[in-house]
Amino acid sequence: MDIDTPPSEPDLPLRPAIAAPQQQQHTYTLSDGNRFVLFGDSIIQQSFSPHVSFAFGAALADIYTRRLDVSNRGLSGYNTLQALRAQPLCLPLPEKANMPFLLIMFGANDSRLPHSPGGPDQHVSLADFKRNLRHMVHHPCVKAHGDAVHIILVTTPPVDERKSLKADQEKYPTLGQTLRRSAANTARYAQAIRDLGAELDVPVLDIHKSMLAHAGHDHLSQPLPGSLEAPTNPTLQSFLTDGLHFSGEGYRLLYAELMALIERLWPESMPSRLPLRLPAWDFQPAWRADGEGREPGWEEGGWSGPPREGGAGRDGREGLVTGRFEGVVKEVRRAAD
């Protein structure tokens, strides 16, 4: 599908069940603003789960609290063909929110072996996989945000064939000894992402390489860790709950690699360098009225209550600034000048 030509009917984006956002009234609230979008498959979808010892998405949301809103756009079971159709519904409209970061992580389903048993065929060829990811990076819903979007491609993570086979046999009792995913084939999809990142000059978070390095692999020898032909690798298995999805340790490694990448490439976007959205409760300059920002007291129907004793703003009064986000930011900036 060429992004410069209208898509054919099978490639049309999914249709929203509600009116298009641009047809709806919109009020700016604290939940709008700057988004860190995590776009991927079940590995992203489960990254906020309370059932793992370390939840990558939740940790990211925590460290960026009130600085960037982390959006979980994980779509369990999706390959890149399906995700490309859903992408416009997963990213914010530029008039609604900025998108400083877009992390894209797919391949676990695309790299499933073709025609393998157990549910509909999820396999996507390497050529189509790269093409779909290229379209995701260049998609109009991404370009609409301009050049300020930091896009990060994450390589397809490794698999452990022993654990994945056992999990698949439990889910599909008639599977026998048939593998649905292999370490060698998954490695090809990870390499495709490395190649695409170099082609598009888009940073790549190489979780495949990182996990194998921790597992003691030199990235040259065969067979790969996780293969049935290689000895059981406890370190690799510790990263994966079922041979495919991440454990808490797997998510912890992903988190560490992501924060190291951001610190290296965009240090100004590290949490400690970003301004807090809405001032701290005890930052007094932000909560002093300057006349134009003062709310009416309780007796006048306002939320801030009557002026407090023992202090005065620049006009001789003290009170809370308006509850509107713009008003608070305006006051904070004036106080900092």
Side-chain angles (χ1 to χ4, degrees), residues 1-18:
M1 181 179 66
D2 192 328
I3 59 173
D4 296 323
T5 59
S8 60
E9 181 61 31
D11 291 332
L12 287 174
L14 298 177
R15 293 177 174 81
I18 59 175

Side-chain angles (χ1 to χ4, degrees), residues 38 46-50 54-65 70 72 255:
L38 308 177
Q46 296 174 15
S47 68
F48 284 75
S49 173
F54 183 91
F56 160 73
L60 194 65
D62 176 62
I63 199 171
Y64 277 108
T65 295
V70 179
N72 184 347
Y255 174 82

Side-chain angles (χ1 to χ4, degrees), residues 173-187:
T174 61
L175 189 65
Q177 298 299 311
T178 303
L179 286 172
R180 301 172 75 227
R181 292 174 173 85
S182 75
N185 193 55
T186 299

Side-chain angles (χ1 to χ4, degrees), residues 238-301:
S238 72
F239 293 138
L240 308 168
T241 57
D242 56 2
L244 173 67
H245 298 98
F246 285 15
S247 66
E249 289 308 303
Y251 280 125
R252 191 186 305 276
L253 182 59
L254 179 63
Y255 174 82
E257 293 286 355
L258 175 61
M259 297 313 298
L261 184 148
I262 293 174
E263 185 173 32
R264 184 175 73 252
L265 299 181
W266 307 293
E268 71 282 357
S269 294
M270 288 294 285
S272 60
R273 300 286 298 277
L274 294 177
L276 198 66
R277 287 176 56 80
L278 295 182
W281 70 274
D282 57 351
F283 183 52
Q284 290 302 305
W287 299 106
R288 297 178 185 276
D290 64 353
E292 65 182 66
R294 185 180 180 278
E295 284 275 296
W298 286 321
E299 69 280 0
E300 301 171 279

